Amino acid sequence: MTHRRNTEDGGAEKPLWANLSAGLVTGAADDDPSGIATYSQVGAAFGYGMLWCIAVTMPLMIAIQAVSAGIGRVTGHGLMDGMRKHYPHPLVYALTALLVIANVINLAADIGAMGASLALLIGGPALIYAAGFALLSLVLQVFIPFTRYAPILKLLTLSLFAYVATVLVIDVPWLAVLKSLVLPPITWNASYAVGLVALLGTTISPYLFCWQAAQEVEEMDSSKRRKPLRRAPRQAPSALRRIGIDTTVGMIFSNLISFFIILAAAVVLHANGKVDIQTSAEAAAALRPLAGELAFALFAAGIIGTGLLAVPVLAGATAYAAAGAFGQRSGLEYKPGNARFFYGVLVVASLAGIALNLTPLDPVKALYWSAVVNGVTAVPLMTVMMLMGSRRKVMGKFTMPWPLKIFGWLATAAMAAAALTMFVTWGQ
């Protein structure tokens, strides 16, 4: 008789790819067009000088995302819904308002970058393309149930390999890259500090916490067997093992792609004196004369692919957060008529993202203010998450293990230091 290890879904354990879901999608969505712009900026401005940061952010990102996923899986509630049950409502409303503002600005920047990238590739009206991408994403989210939409998001994560391919088609001095990782060429000045803050703020973003917790809840609700671990503790070993693998793989993938984007900008742009990059589309255009048509096309196509993944995650995270904060039903598995508030926020956020592209709003300033609001939101949100994950009243016997506590609080402290640095270097 063969032994079959019991899993949260019953039966034998699944292969690795089948176990990758919320963590993989969340990690890939972190490399959105706005993130690509930031990584391109620091690569162009500082060359190899910030590649070492990826090794630092990776364990911090794994820890804080595992905390958010664990809260969703243990309690059966999204982050804001859980906070509403255990913390003062004014605090939850304030955090949600900041999150919504940052997400809508980020959405606008990502939508605009996708349109600009397609216009670079084939010509034509960038604004029309941008609106088309946003509306396509919205229609898919509204009319396709989560159980059928989640595999689409998972498949879109493969688009990030465009940045690996970009590096493979350019001439990289790998010896110099390795040297920079061992002995980082750090220049301690205000400009470098601002770059560090931007990189950290791009890598650890509040909308990612909301999305991963919510996707855990969605997958639980759409499963016949999965239950919140507080009610079904026998599922815990399998569920927590899956979350650990899923989150670790997803965040390593995310950070490796970030590494390749910074590297491509450093090798091609910085080395050729192109040190001032403002948007992801500008980075793609700058590659064309310096690295050739193939590198340009791969980079630009990657912006569109990751945008198709990130836009629904951003809009979805906004809707999950708002619905949770106000105690409303939420979930992409529901039909629109059964979760009107949730879908209303989803539609309004997406349309607002399109509308901002029709205004004279400077996309660079929009990204800057999005980073400011994200920095202000992340620290209190991460603090409350860490407190929730440590409380038996919230997590029962599944409070965070000490490694997650250590790295989770380190991530929170790093974001607090980044926010403080941001304000100290204001205007520099």
Side-chain angles (χ1 to χ4, degrees):
M1 180 177 178
T2 57
H3 174 69
R4 301 178 73 188
R5 181 184 289 177
N6 184 47
T7 69
E8 59 187 325
D9 292 313
E13 282 201 7
K14 298 176 181 177
L16 177 62
W17 176 251
N19 276 314
L20 301 179
S21 53
L24 178 65
V25 170
T26 304
D30 188 38
D31 293 317
D32 66 326
S34 301
I36 293 166
T38 300
Y39 298 133
S40 299
Q41 286 165 3
V42 298
F46 305 105
Y48 307 139
M50 286 195 186
L51 286 175
W52 64 273
C53 297
I54 300 301
V56 175
T57 60
M58 192 181 297
L60 303 182
M61 192 180 179
I62 290 171
I64 200 68
Q65 290 301 144
V67 171
S68 69
I71 290 172
R73 186 67 182 86
V74 170
T75 66
H77 299 293
L79 283 185
M80 293 306 182
D81 195 17
M83 287 183 189
R84 178 185 171 86
K85 296 178 187 300
H86 298 284
Y87 294 93
H89 289 186
L91 171 65
V92 180
Y93 297 149
L95 289 175
T96 303
L98 289 170
L99 185 74
V100 169
I101 292 168
N103 285 2
V104 169
I105 296 173
N106 214 331
L107 262 172
D110 285 355
I111 290 167
M114 293 164 69
S117 296
L118 186 58
L120 282 173
L121 285 169
I122 65 173
L127 284 176
I128 299 297
Y129 295 152
F133 282 131
L135 292 174
L136 171 64
S137 173
L138 181 60
V139 167
L140 290 175
Q141 282 188 290
V142 171
F143 293 106
I144 298 182
F146 178 81
T147 46
R148 289 166 53 197
Y149 190 53
I152 297 174
L153 294 177
K154 190 172 173 180
L155 193 61
L156 282 170
T157 63
L158 298 176
S159 66
L160 270 73
F161 282 105
Y163 297 105
V164 179
T166 302
V167 170
L168 294 178
V169 300
I170 60 179
D171 188 17
V172 178
W174 288 107
L175 207 57
V177 173
L178 291 173
K179 183 181 176 183
S180 74
L181 293 174
V182 178
L183 298 169
I186 299 172
T187 53
W188 293 115
N189 54 36
S191 177
Y192 192 84
V194 170
L196 276 175
V197 170
L199 192 148
L200 188 62
T202 297
T203 305
I204 301 177
S205 299
Y207 76 90
L208 300 175
F209 316 150
C210 294
W211 174 265
Q212 189 164 355
Q215 189 171 343
E216 283 291 335
V217 176
E218 286 271 22
E219 291 177 357
M220 194 187 321
D221 290 343
S222 61
S223 167
K224 293 180 180 179
R225 284 184 49 87
R226 293 187 191 183
K227 299 289 186 292
L229 298 185
R230 288 201 61 168
R231 287 167 39 202
R234 291 183 63 183
Q235 295 180 7
S238 172
L240 296 177
R241 188 185 311 112
R242 175 190 55 77
I243 287 173
I245 294 170
D246 184 23
T247 304
T248 301
V249 171
M251 301 314 136
I252 289 175
F253 178 52
S254 174
N255 281 268
L256 284 177
I257 297 301
S258 306
F259 180 90
F260 281 111
I261 296 168
I262 296 171
L263 181 59
V267 171
V268 178
L269 305 182
H270 182 81
N272 286 281
K274 182 72 175 176
V275 297
D276 186 20
I277 292 294
Q278 299 297 329
T279 67
S280 52
E282 187 181 331
L287 284 174
R288 179 178 250 161
L290 298 172
E293 287 293 327
L294 181 56
F296 153 74
L298 287 168
F299 199 95
I303 294 170
I304 296 169
T306 190
L308 288 171
L309 171 65
V311 164
V313 170
L314 268 163
T318 306
Y320 284 121
F326 289 95
Q328 299 293 315
R329 178 182 288 172
S330 64
L332 292 169
E333 193 67 18
Y334 288 111
K335 292 182 177 179
N338 295 328
R340 291 180 181 177
F341 183 91
F342 172 79
Y343 281 102
V345 174
L346 190 70
V347 170
V348 169
S350 300
L351 294 180
I354 296 173
L356 283 176
N357 279 281
L358 304 176
T359 69
L361 181 67
D362 182 344
V364 179
K365 289 184 178 178
L367 275 179
Y368 174 77
W369 284 107
S370 173
V372 169
V373 179
N374 266 328
V376 171
T377 311
V379 179
L381 183 57
M382 291 168 74
T383 300
V384 175
M385 279 171 53
M386 292 303 297
L387 293 174
M388 286 177 70
S390 302
R391 290 181 65 186
R392 291 186 69 88
K393 186 177 180 180
V394 178
M395 303 289 284
K397 65 179 182 179
F398 300 108
T399 54
M400 291 181 295
W402 66 265
L404 272 191
K405 286 183 181 179
I406 291 173
F407 282 99
W409 281 115
L410 280 174
T412 307
M415 288 301 292
L420 182 61
T421 304
M422 178 177 64
F423 289 114
V424 169
T425 57
W426 191 281
Q428 295 185 31

